[in-house]
Structures are given as C-alpha cells and as structure tokens.
Amino acid sequence: MAVPVLLVAGFLGAGKTTVVNHLLAHAEGRRIAAVVNDFGAINIDAELIMGAADGVLSLSNGCICCTLEGDLLRTLAGLLRRDPRPDVIVIETSGVADPADVVRNLMDPVIFREAPLETVLCVVDATMPVAMLDDALLRSQVRAADIIALSKVDLADPAAYVQLRDAVRAMRPAAVLVDAVNGEVPAAVLFSPDVDRAPAPREPGPRRPAAERFETMSWSSDKPVSLPRLQQAIGRLAPRLARAKGLFETAEQPGRLMVFQLAGGRATLAAGGTRTEWAPRTRIVFVAEIGVLSREEVNAIMEGCTEIGTA
C-alpha cells in the first residue's frame, strides 16, 4: 500500500518544527516518519526516545525521525524499505526552500507510486507584518499550499492578524486556513480519511532560477558557556539574524543541555535533557542574509561566552 506524504513548508522561524513536534507527540496510533533537517529542534520527551542509529531516531509510540542528508528520494526509498512501513511520511523543508522544487522531486514516477504527495502545508507566522507577503519566496510557499496554518496567533495583534489572514486568503483562495496555536493542526484536515483514494500528481509550478539569499554559520565548543555572556552575545547578533537554534551546556547547570531558539525576533530557552559524551558542549547554528555577518565576527562574539565569570 502506498504511503502518503505530507510536505511542511514555511519561512524561517514560522513554526514548522513546532507543527511536526505536535504531530509526533499526538500520532494517535499512526506510524509517522518525519524527515527533518536535524534532530536538534525535535522536542520529544526523553521517555519517548528508544534509540538513535544510522541517522534515525526511534520513538516508543511507533514514530521515527530521520535527518534529511543528501538526496531526498534516496531518503524516502530507505523509509519505504522499513518493516513495518510508516503510515505517513512528513517532510519538513528548510525555511529557505521553495516548495515547488521539492514537489518537482516528489513527482518522480517511481517515488510517487509508492509515496504519493497528498498534502502541502504552509506554516505562516501570524505576528509578521503583512508587508512580508511581498517576499517572493514566502509568496511561493503560500501559493503551493493546500492548507495554511497560521502560527503564533496568540501572540499577534488582533487587528493586524485579521489583516494578515485576509491577505493570505486573497493570495491563495483555494487553501484551507487554520489557526495553529502551539503547532496544533487538526489531523482531520492533514490526513485523508479515504485510505483507498490515491492523490493525483500535481503541477509543481515554473522552475525559478535559484538565488542564494541566506547563509548558515555554525559555532561549537567543548567548553560550557556562561548564560549571561551568551545572552549578551545573542543580543548583539540578533538584529542581523533571520534564525538561530542550538543546544548548549551552561557553567551554571553543568551536565544539562539547554535548547535555544531565535525566530521572528523572539528568543526562547528550554530544558534539553542530558548531553551525550561524544557531542560538543555547545553547538549553535546561525542563519543570516548573505554578507550581513562574517564567520570571523560570529566566532569572535561567541568565543567570549566560554570565558566564565561575571558578564
């Protein structure tokens, strides 16, 4: 039996991973295989994790996560060979990806026969100004969607939210719009109840010339960081960042990891479990528009975080 694919798209920091986290934590008996860019942002309770091997994170509720490394079609083929097969495959795209390019890959006849693309979900940050919809990449993400999930509705100004929602609806009138507080999108709109219905192939849209717009810089250290110094460093970098996320151990709480996320100008910290021996004590990934930051500047600012003392 074919395994339907749910493609999750959206701009940097829109809340895609929060949606995937919710799906995995509320699988309701479905064996979900989530293809993600990394495991670092997958916020699964420690007791759900059974083990990780060969780029696959196994969960006790029957779901798995695998990292999207290299060729997408090869990753899907590997998932389809698993026993038991997943019931659903969820693919979370990068925040700088045009869904049309991913859809084009998924229309490969061999893959489509075994793993047909059923739904494209676009997550849109409800707190962003409506002028952001003029961004060409964001418009392409919205126009590819069957379902548009408006995230962070609880944080949005009510009047600005209505304006944004109306603008999104006008841009993609055929899509179903839902509010996704804390990443919750109703399963009824994501997964077809008709298991025998085969999705029809879709037209991915015109191929656009690839334009490199963002670059990624990572920083890692085998030393714990001072939390006050890290907060200072992020404060200096934040105005020029599109996105950042990471895991780190602090001098204040040795042996424990913190999960750091920066999106839409908001930074959050949460407990992240216990560090594995082979992993660096600190690893943070920064995303910025090309030319806005240099690696040397990032390194210089971040190295000061390991100098333990009063900030």
Side-chain angles (χ1 to χ4, degrees):
M1 184 180 294
V3 179
V5 172
L6 166 65
L7 182 64
V8 181
F11 206 63
L12 289 160
K16 299 182 297 299
T17 302
T18 305
V19 170
V20 174
N21 281 335
H22 189 275
L23 286 173
L24 290 171
H26 301 83
E28 299 176 355
R30 300 180 186 89
R31 290 189 303 274
I32 299 175
V35 182
V36 298
N37 289 299
D38 64 78
F39 292 153
I42 296 298
N43 181 26
I44 300 299
D45 292 338
E47 59 267 24
L48 279 179
I49 298 175
M50 296 180 67
D54 301 324
V56 177
L57 183 69
S58 298
L59 309 177
S60 60
N61 63 358
C63 299
I64 63 169
C65 294
C66 66
T67 51
L68 180 53
E69 294 180 351
D71 184 71
L72 172 62
L73 302 187
R74 188 169 62 247
T75 300
L76 292 178
L79 290 174
L80 293 170
R81 288 194 298 269
R82 293 182 68 87
D83 185 18
R85 266 189 170 193
D87 297 318
V88 179
I89 297 174
V90 177
I91 302 171
E92 179 190 343
T93 66
S94 160
V96 296
D98 186 334
D101 297 331
V102 184
V103 170
R104 190 172 290 107
N105 280 328
L106 293 174
M107 290 304 103
D108 177 275
V110 175
I111 288 294
F112 192 85
R113 184 172 62 249
E114 297 292 323
L117 174 61
E118 184 167 84
T119 304
V120 178
L121 168 68
C122 179
V123 183
V124 174
D125 183 350
T127 67
M128 73 179 186
V130 72
M132 273 288 293
L133 291 174
D134 291 334
D135 184 277
L137 175 59
L138 181 53
R139 293 175 74 88
S140 183
Q141 292 170 343
V142 168
R143 286 173 171 162
D146 306 305
I147 301 166
I148 297 171
L150 293 164
S151 67
K152 310 175 192 176
V153 175
D154 51 323
L155 303 176
D157 172 78
Y161 161 71
V162 170
Q163 184 184 17
L164 178 72
R165 185 183 178 98
D166 289 347
V168 169
R169 188 182 296 281
M171 185 180 296
R172 181 61 171 155
V176 176
L177 261 67
V178 296
D179 291 346
V181 178
N182 298 322
E184 183 175 355
V185 181
V189 301
L190 292 179
F191 306 118
S192 170
D194 184 358
V195 295
D196 295 322
R197 181 184 65 83
R202 63 178 73 201
E203 171 56 49
R207 184 183 295 274
R208 295 174 179 80
E212 290 295 328
R213 177 176 169 187
F214 297 94
E215 60 182 338
T216 300
M217 288 166 272
S218 60
W219 180 80
S220 63
S221 174
D222 287 325
K223 299 178 181 177
V225 297
S226 158
L227 185 56
R229 287 183 180 274
L230 178 66
Q231 290 170 322
Q232 255 189 5
I234 297 301
R236 292 173 62 187
L237 293 169
R240 290 175 286 171
L241 294 174
R243 186 83 163 89
K245 57 184 177 182
L247 291 166
F248 58 85
E249 179 183 350
T250 67
E252 293 79 8
Q253 291 187 321
R256 294 287 296 174
L257 286 178
M258 299 292 289
V259 180
F260 163 70
Q261 298 266 5
L262 175 72
R266 290 181 297 276
T268 60
L269 284 175
T274 305
R275 184 178 68 89
T276 50
E277 287 301 319
W278 51 264
R281 280 187 161 83
T282 302
R283 51 194 191 278
I284 302 179
V285 177
F286 303 97
V287 182
E289 295 206 22
I290 292 174
V292 170
L293 274 173
S294 70
R295 294 180 187 275
E296 292 76 16
E297 186 176 7
V298 169
N299 289 339
I301 291 174
M302 294 306 298
E303 287 297 335
C305 298
T306 60
E307 298 169 8
I308 308 304
T310 304

